[in-house]
Amino acid sequence: MLPKRLAILTYHRVLPEPDAARPGVPDATEFDWHLRTVRRWFNVLPLAEAVERLKTGSLPPRALCITFDDGYADNHDVAMPALQSHGLSATFFVASGYLDGSAMWNDDVIDCVAGARGAELDLEFADLGTVPISAPGQRQAAVMLVINAWKRLPGSERAERVAQLRERFPLRRSQRLMMQPEQVAGLKRGGMEVGAHTVSHPILTRQPIARAREEIAGSRAALEEITGAPVTGFAYPNGRPGKDYAAEHVSAVREAGFSYAVSTAWGTARAGVDQYQLPRIAPWDATPARFTARILRALYLQSEGVSVPSPAC
C-alpha cells in the first residue's frame, strides 16, 4: 500500500481580476476553479489538523491543505470569500510588520516597472545597465532581474535601492496591498487559520541569530494579540532549506512555541517528515487537468522536500 502523504499548496495572492504586471498570479475566476478541483478530487483539511493526523497516521487519502504567504489584503477580500463559498479553509502566514496597509519591496519593484514610460529602463544606478521594456515579456524580465539582484541584499541597502527606483519611476498604485490588523482578525473569525511569517520578512540566514529569533517570536506575539488566539504555524520567508533558513532557525521556531513550520521545498509530506520543515507545492498550472495531475504526481510519485539537518533536541 502506498504511504499516505500530505500535499500543501502555497499561494500569495488572489487578484480580483487579471493583472498583466503579475502574470502567473491567479485571479478570482482561476482560484475558483482551483477550489472546485481540489474539493472534487482531494480531501482538504485545515493545516494544523493535517499535521496532527500526519503524526498519528490518520490522514485520509489524497490529503491536501491550502496556504497563503505574506498577508495581502486580497487574501481577506477575495480569497477568503471564495474559500467560504466552497466550504473550505486555508492557513494564512502573515508578516506582521506590514499590517498598516503598506507594501512589500518586491511589489514596489513590480509597480514601478509596470508604470515606467519609454522603451528602456535605466537601471545604471543599481549597476544593472539599461533594460528594454517595449516588447511583450520584457517588463516581466526586468522585474525578475531587479528582484533577483536585490533579494539577498541587507534590508537597509535594499530599502535604499527601492527608494531610488521609486524616485526615478514613481508608483501609480492607489490601493493598499497588505492587510490591516482588523482584516487579519477577520480571517480568524471567518474560520481561517492565521500563522506567522516573521515581522519584516527577512531572509533569516542573512540576519544575526538574535535578530532572527526576534523576527520569529515577535510575529507570533503580534498576531496572537490581533486574533486573540494561539498562533501555532510558521512559514520561513523565501523558504529554501539551507539557503534562506538553517538548522538554527528551525530550532528557533520550535523554541518560540510553534507546533509546525512550512518551507518552499517542493514536494509532499509523509509520516516521519520533520514537522518544522514541511514541503509545499506551488500550483501554477493553467488547466484543471494539469493542476490535478501535478498534485497527484507529487502525492504518489515524489518524496518529501529537501530539508536542513535539524539541531539536536
Side-chain angles (χ1 to χ4, degrees):
M1 179 182 295
L2 291 170
K4 291 179 180 177
R5 298 179 185 269
L6 173 63
I8 306 172
L9 303 187
T10 177
Y11 294 87
H12 291 81
R13 304 188 62 182
V14 177
L15 304 175
E17 55 190 30
D19 182 352
R22 291 171 171 81
V25 178
D27 61 21
T29 299
E30 183 178 354
F31 187 58
D32 183 73
W33 71 248
H34 284 199
L35 297 182
R36 283 188 280 108
T37 301
V38 298
R39 186 178 180 188
R40 178 179 180 184
W41 294 107
F42 300 93
N43 289 298
V44 183
L45 302 172
L47 183 52
E49 175 188 339
V51 172
E52 288 301 313
R53 296 183 68 169
L54 184 65
K55 289 192 295 182
T56 61
S58 60
L59 277 177
R62 302 184 309 283
L64 181 141
C65 299
I66 301 167
T67 67
F68 284 80
D69 286 2
D70 296 340
Y72 287 95
D74 54 50
N75 293 180
H76 174 275
D77 297 343
V78 183
M80 182 173 68
L83 287 158
Q84 291 172 326
S85 72
H86 289 278
L88 301 175
S89 67
T91 299
F92 295 82
F93 295 106
V94 177
S96 61
Y98 292 94
L99 296 180
D100 56 0
S102 61
M104 303 185 81
W105 72 272
N106 54 295
D107 285 302
D108 281 353
V109 171
I110 292 169
D111 290 329
C112 284
V113 173
R117 301 179 184 275
E120 294 181 328
L121 198 65
D122 185 355
L123 299 174
E124 293 287 355
F125 75 94
D127 299 322
L128 294 175
T130 301
V131 182
I133 56 172
S134 60
Q138 287 184 335
R139 286 184 189 265
Q140 180 63 14
V143 165
M144 295 312 300
L145 173 68
V146 175
I147 288 177
N148 288 333
W150 296 355
K151 179 180 288 186
R152 302 183 72 82
L153 291 177
S156 58
E157 182 178 349
R158 186 172 61 219
E160 181 178 348
R161 293 287 180 90
V162 173
Q164 291 174 318
L165 185 71
R166 292 179 61 166
E167 287 178 5
R168 289 163 173 79
F169 310 102
L171 289 172
R172 294 174 173 84
R173 185 173 60 224
S174 59
Q175 78 276 23
R176 295 177 180 270
L177 290 187
M178 311 308 285
M179 283 188 283
Q180 300 282 347
E182 176 56 28
Q183 291 174 303
V184 177
L187 289 175
K188 185 65 178 177
R189 290 194 303 269
M192 307 294 140
E193 180 183 8
V194 174
H197 197 37
T198 70
V199 176
S200 63
H201 201 277
I203 293 179
L204 294 173
T205 52
R206 293 300 181 102
Q207 309 297 311
I209 186 57
R211 176 60 181 164
R213 290 179 182 276
E214 291 174 358
E215 287 275 349
I216 292 166
S219 62
R220 184 180 190 220
L223 293 168
E224 288 186 336
E225 182 175 356
I226 289 169
T227 62
V231 171
T232 61
F234 181 81
Y236 300 98
N238 221 46
R240 296 175 301 172
K243 295 183 179 181
D244 303 317
Y245 73 91
E248 60 188 353
H249 305 111
V250 178
S251 178
V253 169
R254 182 186 295 109
E255 292 168 6
F258 292 99
S259 299
Y260 69 87
V262 295
S263 72
T264 58
W266 193 94
T268 54
R270 62 180 175 182
V273 70
D274 185 349
Q275 69 190 57
Y276 290 95
Q277 300 188 76
L278 297 168
R280 293 189 285 177
I281 302 170
W284 59 77
D285 297 278
T287 67
R290 291 181 179 273
F291 176 85
T292 304
R294 181 182 300 277
I295 301 171
L296 289 174
R297 282 197 302 270
L299 282 169
Y300 293 120
L301 299 179
Q302 303 291 338
S303 61
E304 62 272 11
V306 176
S307 62
V308 300
S310 296
C313 297

